[in-house]
């Protein structure tokens, strides 16, 4: 048994209101609860959620990093087409090690 006079009054049939309509009854320490959003009108739960992607995150990512990928592939293609550069760089690396 709870101690008297230290606990708030319990309302087992507290009414929940959203936009002036009674939505449900729950147990609470207040007789009325006024809410703006509940699962019956929230877009995530009702299935009417719209994903708004103003600029397009994927497109922005591709635009930002597409040049990096293209530049790397072009550099690799140039190195493969000109084997003399590869051997020169290996020779210079050996000289540096000595």
């Amino acid at each position: 048994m709870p101690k008297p006079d230290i606990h708030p009054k319990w309302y087992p049939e507290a009414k929940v209101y959203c936009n002036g309509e009674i939505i449900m009854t729950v147990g609470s320490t207040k007789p009325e609860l006024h809410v703006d959003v509940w699962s019956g009108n929230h877009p995530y739960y009702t299935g009417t959620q719209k994903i708004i992607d103003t600029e397009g995150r994927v497109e922005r990512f591709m635009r930002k990093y597409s040049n990096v990928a293209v530049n790397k592939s072009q550099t690799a293609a140039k190195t493969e087409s000109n084997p003399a550069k590869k051997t020169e760089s290996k020779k210079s690396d050996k000289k540096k090690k000595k």
Side-chain angles (χ1 to χ4, degrees):
M1 187 79 183
K3 290 185 179 181
D5 301 327
I6 63 166
H7 296 284
K9 183 173 181 184
W10 182 253
Y11 298 93
E13 296 294 319
K15 295 177 179 142
V16 180
Y17 292 94
C18 182
N19 296 331
E21 298 178 22
I22 295 178
I23 303 301
M24 64 183 95
T25 58
V26 295
S28 177
T29 57
K30 296 185 177 188
E32 294 180 351
L33 300 170
H34 296 275
V35 296
D36 296 327
V37 179
W38 65 291
S39 61
N41 68 355
H42 192 279
Y44 179 80
Y45 297 105
T46 59
T48 58
Q49 181 179 17
K50 295 180 183 177
I51 298 174
I52 299 172
D53 194 7
T54 55
E55 186 178 349
R57 292 176 186 249
V58 174
E59 289 81 13
R60 188 173 66 207
F61 175 84
M62 294 303 287
R63 186 170 11 101
K64 183 175 181 180
Y65 293 106
S66 64
N67 292 337
V68 174
V70 170
N71 290 340
K72 284 184 179 181
S73 64
Q74 287 175 351
T75 306
K78 285 180 184 178
T79 318
E80 289 175 6
S81 65
N82 192 352
K85 286 189 175 182
K86 281 186 175 178
T87 56
E88 288 175 11
S89 64
K90 287 182 181 178
K91 287 179 183 177
S92 64
D93 289 342
K94 288 180 182 178
K95 289 179 183 178
K96 289 178 184 177
K97 289 181 182 178
K98 290 182 181 180

